C-alpha cells in the first residue's frame, strides 16, 4: 500500500495551485486592497464579507468564524475530504504526479479516497450515457430534444446522455472499468436487487448534475415511454457526493455570469435552464428535484456577495398556475436571506421558459425575466386579489391581510412606498390610515419578516385551537415548519423515521405538542404497522373533538414539496425543527446567563454554562448527521 505523500510534492501542490482560483469556484471574491480578496464565508452564514484570501501567501482566514488555512485545508473543509484526498484531488487538477514515502504512484484503487472513486464512476457514467445518446436506441430521446428546439450541439453543451433500456448496461460497463458493485450502488448509479446490482436509470434521457467545480455528482432523468412504470423525472438518490438540497443544476455554467451580472435566475426544470441559456439568460439555474431552500440561498448569496453588493437581483420564474403561486409563497419565506432585490417572473399563460422559447421565440424568455415584478409587490397583489374590493368590508379585510407583508419590509423608505401603493391598490384613499395599520402589524412582530399572509381566506387552513384556545399563527415560520412535519408523521409515517426522538420542547405551540403526545400514546411512529390507516387510528384515539378535528386537517392538507416526497425530505424537515429548538433553548440560556452574577452564584452559572456547551455539541452532531445524508 502506498504510504505518506512526500513533503516536497505536497509543497509543489500548494505552490502550483492558486488559492484564489480554487476558492473562486465556490464564492465570488472581490478586491479588498493590499493584495487581499474578500467574499462571504462558505463555512458560516453572514451578510457582510469577512472571509479574506491572500493569494501571495496562499492563505485564507475568516474574521467572522475563525476558519483559516491554505488551499489544501480549504478543499478539505469545503468538500469534506481527508488531507490525503485533498492533496490528490488538487494534484489531479494541476497534473502533478505524486510520490509516496514507500515509493510508487498512487495507482492502487484501495488507496484512492471513496469520494474520488465515486466521482470517477460518475465521470465514466456520464461519458457512457453521452455516447449512448447517439445510438439507434436513443431515437426517442433525440426526438424529445428536437421537439423542444434543442440540437446535438445543445445536448453536448449540457453533457446530456441516454440510459439504455436494459437492466445492467451501465453496471457492466463500470465493472469493466474496475468499479465494484458496492461503489456503483453507493454512488446511486445502480440499485441493489435480489440478483445483484442493476441500473437505476433505464430508457431515460439524462442530465448530468455537476458541482460548482464541474464534477458530475449525479443525474436527473426523464422517462421517455409514458407506459413504463416510475415517475416522469427521477433523480439520483442522496449519496456521499449527491446532496440535492445543496446543488443547483447549471451553476457550473452560470456561476461566472451570476457574479459578473450580479443576477441569478431560478427556474424549475432542466429544460428550462437549457432554454434560458440558449435565449441568452446565462444566469439561469434550477434545483434538483427539491424545493429552493436555505442552502441554495447561501450558495447564491456567496456568488452575489450578500447585501454589500447593492443592485444584485434574484429572479424566480414560476408557472402562472396554483403550483406556481405556492412556489412564490415559498420564495417569499426565504426572501429575507437574499440580497437587495428579489423578483418574480410569472408567465400568465402558464408557459415555462422551455415552452415559451419554443412557441414565442428566445426573446420572449428574455422579456419574461426582464419584466419580473418585485416579490413584495407580487405577494401583496396576489393577496388582495382574493378579496371583494367592491365593498368596504372586503377592502378592510384585504388591508389586514396585506399589511403584515408591508410591515415585514426592513427598509423604511421601501416600506413607506409600498404602504402608499397598498392604499392605492385597495382604493381606500386614506394613506395615513393604511400606514397606521402597517405600524400596528410591525409592533406585533410583522417587521421580522415572518409573515406568510399569502394564504387567501378561502385557501387558508383554519387551525384548530386546543381546549385552552392557545394562540396559533400560521404566519409564524416555526408553526409552518412544525405543521409540515406533523402532516408527514400523520400521512406518511413510513417516511418519518426519527420523529419519535422529538420532544415537547421541540414544538412551539400546545396544539402540536398535543399531537406529538397522541402519537406517543399510540406507540410512536416506529411501531406503525399499517401506514394506510394510521391517520384514522390517531383520529379515533384523539381525546376530544378539537384534537380530532386537528388531526383530520393534518391528514387531508397538502404537504408542500418539490420533486419526490421521500425519507430524505422528511429527515431534513425533522432536522430543521430540532435545530430551531436548540437555537431557542440556547437563546434562553444565554439570556439567563447574562442575568446571573458569576461570583455570587457560581454553581448556577456553571450549570447553565455546561448546558449551553451540551446544546452546542447536540447542534454540531446534528449538522454532521445532516452532512452525511440521513
Amino acid at each position: 500500500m502506498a504510504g505518506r505523500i512526500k513533503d516536497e510534492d505536497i509543497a509543489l501542490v500548494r505552490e502550483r495551485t492558486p488559492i484564489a482560483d480554487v476558492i473562486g469556484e465556490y464564492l465570488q471574491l472581490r478586491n479588498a486592497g493590499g493584495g487581499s480578496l474578500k467574499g462571504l464565508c462558505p463555512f458560516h452564514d453572514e451578510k457582510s464579507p469577512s472571509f479574506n484570501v491572500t493569494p501571495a501567501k496562499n492563505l485564507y482566514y475568516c474574521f467572522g468564524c475563525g476558519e483559516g488555512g491554505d488551499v489544501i485545508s480549504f478543499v478539505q473543509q469545503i468538500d469534506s475530504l481527508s488531507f490525503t484526498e485533498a492533496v490528490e484531488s488538487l494534484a489531479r487538477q494541476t497534473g502533478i504526479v505524486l510520490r509516496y514515502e514507500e515509493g510508487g504512484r498512487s495507482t492502487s484503487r484501495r488507496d484512492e479516497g471513496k469520494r474520488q472513486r465515486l466521482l470517477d464512476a460518475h465521470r465514466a457514467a456520464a461519458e457512457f450515457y453521452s455516447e449512448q445518446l447517439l445510438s439507434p436506441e436513443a431515437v426517442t430521446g433525440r426526438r424529445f430534444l428536437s421537439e423542444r428546439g434543442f440540437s446535438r450541439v445543445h445536448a453536448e453543451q449540457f453533457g446530456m446522455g441516454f440510459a439504455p433500456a436494459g437492466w445492467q448496461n451501465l453496471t457492466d460497463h463500470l465493472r469493466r472499468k474496475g468499479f465494484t458493485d458496492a461503489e456503483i450502488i453507493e454512488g446511486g448509479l445502480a440499485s441493489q436487487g435480489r440478483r445483484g446490482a442493476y441500473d437505476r436509470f433505464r430508457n431515460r434521457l439524462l442530465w448530468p448534475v455537476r458541482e460548482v467545480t464541474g464534477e458530475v455528482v449525479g443525474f436527473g432523468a426523464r422517462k421517455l415511454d409514458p407506459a413504463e412504470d416510475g415517475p416522469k423525472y427521477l433523480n439520483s438518490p442522496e449519496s456521499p457526493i449527491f446532496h440535492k438540497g445543496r446543488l443547483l443544476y447549471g451553476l457550473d455554467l452560470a456561476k461566472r455570469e451570476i457574479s459578473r451580472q450580479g443576477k441569478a435566475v431560478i427556474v424549475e426544470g432542466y429544460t428550462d435552464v437549457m432554454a434560458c441559456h440558449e435565449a441568452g439568460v446565462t444566469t439561469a439555474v434550477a434545483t434538483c428535484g427539491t424545493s429552493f431552500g436555505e442552502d441554495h440561498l447561501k450558495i447564491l448569496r456567496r456568488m452575489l456577495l450578500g447585501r454589500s453588493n447593492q443592485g444584485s437581483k434574484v429572479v424566480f420564474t414560476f408557472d402562472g398556475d396554483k403550483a406556481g403561486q405556492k412556489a412564490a409563497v415559498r420564495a417569499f419565506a426565504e426572501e429575507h436571506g437574499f440580497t437587495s432585490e428579489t423578483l418574480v417572473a410569472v408567465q400568465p399563460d402558464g408557459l415555462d421558459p422551455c415552452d415559451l422559447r419554443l412557441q414565442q421565440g428566445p426573446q420572449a424568455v428574455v422579456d419574461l425575466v426582464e419584466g419580473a415584478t418585485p416579490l413584495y409587490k407580487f405577494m401583496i397583489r396576489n393577496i388582495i386579489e382574493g378579496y371583494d374590493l367592491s365593498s368596504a368590508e372586503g377592502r378592510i379585510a384585504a388591508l389586514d391581510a396585506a399589511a403584515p407583508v408591508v410591515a415585514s419590509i426592513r427598509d423604511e423608505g421601501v416600506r413607506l412606498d409600498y404602504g402608499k401603493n397598498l392604499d392605492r391598490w385597495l382604493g381606500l384613499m386614506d394613506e395615513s390610515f393604511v400606514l397606521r395599520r402597517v405600524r400596528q402589524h410591525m409592533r406585533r412582530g410583522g417587521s421580522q419578516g415572518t409573515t406568510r399572509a399569502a394564504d387567501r381566506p378561502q385557501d387558508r387552513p383554519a387551525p384548530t385551537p386546543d381546549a385552552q384556545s392557545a394562540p396559533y399563527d400560521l404566519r409564524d415560520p416555526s408553526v409552518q415548519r412544525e405543521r409540515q412535519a406533523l402532516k408527514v408523521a400523520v400521512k406518511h409515517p413510513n417516511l418519518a423515521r426519527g420523529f419519535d426522538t422529538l420532544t415537547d420542547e421541540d414544538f412551539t405551540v400546545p396544539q402540536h405538542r398535543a399531537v406529538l403526545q397522541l402519537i406517543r400514546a399510540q406507540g410512536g411512529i416506529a411501531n406503525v404497522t399499517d401506514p394506510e390507516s394510521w391517520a384514522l387510528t390517531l383520529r379515533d384515539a384523539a381525546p376530544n373533538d378539537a384534537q380530532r378535528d386537528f388531526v383530520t386537517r393534518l391528514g387531508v392538507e397538502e404537504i408542500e414539496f418539490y420533486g419526490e416526497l421521500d425519507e430524505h425530505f422528511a429527515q431534513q424537515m425533522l432536522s430543521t425543527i430540532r435545530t430551531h429548538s436548540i437555537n431557542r433553548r440556547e437563546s434562553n440560556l444565554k439570556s439567563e446567563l447574562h442575568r446571573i452574577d458569576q461570583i455570587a452564584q457560581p454553581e448556577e452559572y456553571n450549570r447553565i454554562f455546561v448546558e449551553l456547551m451540551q446544546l452546542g455539541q447536540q447542534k454540531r452532531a446534528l449538522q454532521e448527521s445532516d452532512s452525511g445524508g440521513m
Side-chain angles (χ1 to χ4, degrees):
M1 176 180 287
R4 183 174 178 273
I5 301 172
K6 286 185 175 291
D7 290 340
E8 52 265 41
D9 288 353
I10 295 173
L12 187 62
V13 167
R14 288 194 180 100
E15 178 187 331
R16 292 190 181 176
T17 310
I19 191 170
D21 291 350
V22 173
I23 294 179
E25 294 286 344
Y26 296 87
L27 58 143
Q28 184 189 0
L29 295 171
R30 67 178 185 186
N31 197 320
S36 292
L37 304 170
K38 182 179 284 189
L40 289 175
C41 180
F43 304 125
H44 83 286
D45 193 15
E46 61 177 2
K47 301 292 191 298
S48 321
S50 59
F51 186 88
N52 286 255
V53 180
T54 308
K57 295 184 180 296
N58 208 25
L59 294 174
Y60 70 92
Y61 185 80
C62 177
F63 291 95
C65 68
E67 287 288 346
D70 61 12
V71 67
I72 297 174
S73 59
F74 179 84
V75 172
Q76 277 187 265
Q77 183 84 337
I78 199 76
D79 287 333
S80 300
L81 303 178
S82 68
F83 178 83
T84 299
E85 289 172 335
V87 174
E88 291 179 337
S89 175
L90 291 171
R92 275 187 288 270
Q93 295 176 38
T94 53
I96 296 173
V97 178
L98 297 174
R99 297 168 298 164
Y100 295 77
E101 293 292 352
E102 296 180 15
R105 293 173 53 189
S106 179
T107 54
S108 171
R109 293 188 179 91
R110 293 174 301 171
D111 301 331
E112 296 185 46
K114 178 172 70 173
R115 174 183 168 82
Q116 190 58 49
R117 289 289 295 165
L118 297 183
L119 290 174
D120 290 344
H122 275 74
R123 186 185 307 112
E127 292 170 355
F128 172 80
Y129 288 140
S130 178
E131 292 171 0
Q132 293 301 310
L133 187 57
L134 302 177
S135 68
E137 187 181 352
V139 62
T140 309
R142 294 193 296 272
R143 185 183 305 124
F144 174 92
L145 291 173
S146 178
E147 289 172 349
R148 285 154 182 79
F150 299 120
S151 66
R152 177 176 175 178
V153 172
H154 299 138
E156 290 175 351
Q157 177 187 355
F158 289 89
M160 295 188 64
F162 171 74
W167 289 88
Q168 292 190 321
N169 292 287
L170 176 67
T171 301
D172 287 343
H173 175 76
L174 293 179
R175 285 169 178 160
R176 289 192 293 270
K177 291 282 186 179
F179 295 98
T180 66
D181 282 14
E183 289 173 328
I184 301 170
I185 293 170
E186 185 175 16
L189 296 168
S191 301
Q192 179 66 59
R194 285 180 295 180
R195 298 181 180 178
Y198 64 91
D199 293 355
R200 175 175 176 82
F201 303 114
R202 304 178 302 281
N203 195 27
R204 285 178 178 267
L205 191 63
L206 292 163
W207 288 263
V209 177
R210 297 185 175 95
E211 285 276 15
V212 66
T213 55
E215 295 275 15
V216 178
V217 293
F219 295 90
R222 197 207 192 270
K223 182 168 64 175
L224 294 172
D225 185 354
E228 290 184 354
D229 293 335
K232 179 186 290 186
Y233 281 94
L234 180 65
N235 293 290
S236 291
E238 292 290 310
S239 76
I241 62 172
F242 186 81
H243 305 286
K244 60 186 176 183
R246 300 199 291 269
L247 288 166
L248 287 168
Y249 175 74
L251 187 61
D252 57 309
L253 300 175
K255 61 186 178 185
R256 300 196 189 283
E257 284 301 302
I258 289 175
S259 295
R260 188 181 70 82
Q261 298 181 30
K263 181 178 182 179
V265 178
I266 317 298
V267 298
E268 294 190 323
Y270 303 124
T271 56
D272 293 330
V273 171
M274 295 176 68
C276 284
H277 280 253
E278 292 312 305
V281 182
T282 53
T283 60
V285 295
T287 57
C288 302
T290 186
S291 58
F292 189 92
E294 186 176 350
D295 286 329
H296 299 124
L297 181 151
K298 290 178 181 177
I299 293 169
L300 288 182
R301 196 164 58 202
R302 292 198 296 268
M303 295 281 176
L304 295 166
L305 270 183
R307 296 186 182 278
S308 62
N309 185 19
Q310 296 300 317
S312 61
K313 297 180 180 180
V314 176
V315 181
F316 286 88
T317 67
F318 300 119
D319 295 343
D321 56 13
K322 283 189 175 181
Q325 304 288 329
K326 290 182 178 180
V329 171
R330 280 189 286 271
F332 176 71
E334 300 287 356
E335 192 276 339
H336 293 285
F338 275 124
T339 54
S340 53
E341 191 171 7
T342 309
L343 304 103
V344 176
V346 176
Q347 182 65 17
D349 55 15
L351 295 177
D352 57 34
C354 181
D355 289 336
L356 185 62
R357 168 180 171 268
L358 189 62
Q359 295 184 25
Q360 300 181 27
Q363 186 58 42
V365 177
V366 176
D367 293 342
L368 171 67
V369 174
E370 292 301 321
T373 301
L375 182 56
Y376 281 111
K377 179 179 180 180
F378 176 85
M379 292 296 297
I380 294 168
R381 297 302 296 264
N382 189 44
I383 290 167
I384 64 180
E385 284 176 3
Y387 293 85
D388 179 10
L389 302 184
S390 64
S391 67
E393 293 82 2
R395 290 192 292 272
I396 295 301
L399 170 60
D400 284 334
V405 177
V406 180
S408 72
I409 300 174
R410 288 188 173 92
D411 187 284
E412 183 179 0
V414 177
R415 186 170 62 245
L416 179 63
D417 189 51
Y418 271 106
K420 294 177 180 179
N421 282 329
L422 179 57
D423 171 60
R424 179 167 53 84
W425 293 333
L426 293 173
L428 289 172
M429 307 301 291
D430 190 342
E431 284 184 5
S432 61
F433 174 71
V434 172
L435 294 174
R436 191 162 60 248
R437 244 343 192 255
V438 169
R439 285 193 294 272
Q440 290 173 354
H441 282 283
M442 290 176 64
R443 287 194 291 271
R444 295 172 190 166
S447 61
Q448 299 304 310
T450 59
T451 303
R452 185 188 174 185
D455 293 304
R456 300 179 184 179
Q458 65 268 33
D459 297 331
R460 189 183 303 130
T464 304
D466 63 2
Q468 288 74 39
S469 297
Y472 191 99
D473 187 358
L474 262 179
R475 297 171 299 183
D476 185 333
S478 295
V479 173
Q480 295 174 25
R481 283 189 296 266
E482 294 166 15
R483 192 178 181 107
Q484 279 277 89
L486 291 176
K487 290 179 193 176
V488 175
V490 170
K491 296 165 69 113
H492 303 285
N494 54 312
L495 301 181
R497 178 179 57 83
F499 183 88
D500 293 338
T501 64
L502 296 177
T503 67
D504 289 0
E505 282 187 310
D506 294 325
F507 291 93
T508 58
V509 292
Q511 295 91 327
H512 295 170
R513 289 193 287 271
V515 177
L516 174 67
Q517 292 161 8
L518 178 63
I519 291 174
R520 195 180 294 152
Q522 299 308 304
I525 296 294
N527 292 315
V528 175
T529 57
D530 186 1
E532 296 299 322
S533 63
W534 175 238
L536 290 175
T537 299
L538 291 175
R539 185 181 184 281
D540 292 342
N544 54 55
D545 290 341
Q547 279 198 34
R548 190 172 300 112
D549 183 40
F550 192 51
V551 170
T552 303
R553 289 181 181 276
L554 294 175
V556 299
E557 283 179 14
E558 288 186 17
I559 300 173
E560 298 175 2
F561 68 97
Y562 279 126
E564 302 173 55
L565 177 60
D566 55 15
E567 188 173 340
H568 176 71
F569 170 86
Q571 296 311 307
Q572 280 188 320
M573 188 184 306
L574 298 180
S575 177
T576 301
I577 289 175
R578 294 190 192 99
T579 300
H580 281 273
S581 176
I582 292 174
N583 289 341
R584 288 194 300 272
R585 280 179 272 171
E586 280 184 331
S587 179
N588 292 335
L589 286 172
K590 287 177 181 177
S591 177
E592 190 177 347
L593 198 65
H594 285 307
R595 296 193 300 269
I596 289 177
D597 187 328
Q598 184 177 2
I599 298 176
Q601 299 172 280
E603 292 183 2
E604 183 66 8
Y605 187 94
N606 289 336
R607 180 191 66 79
I608 296 174
F609 187 80
V610 169
E611 194 168 343
L612 274 171
M613 294 291 289
Q614 292 171 340
L615 287 175
Q617 291 172 352
Q618 291 177 27
K619 188 189 295 186
R620 285 192 293 275
L622 195 58
Q623 291 169 345
E624 290 171 2
S625 176
D626 286 345
S627 66
M630 289 190 295

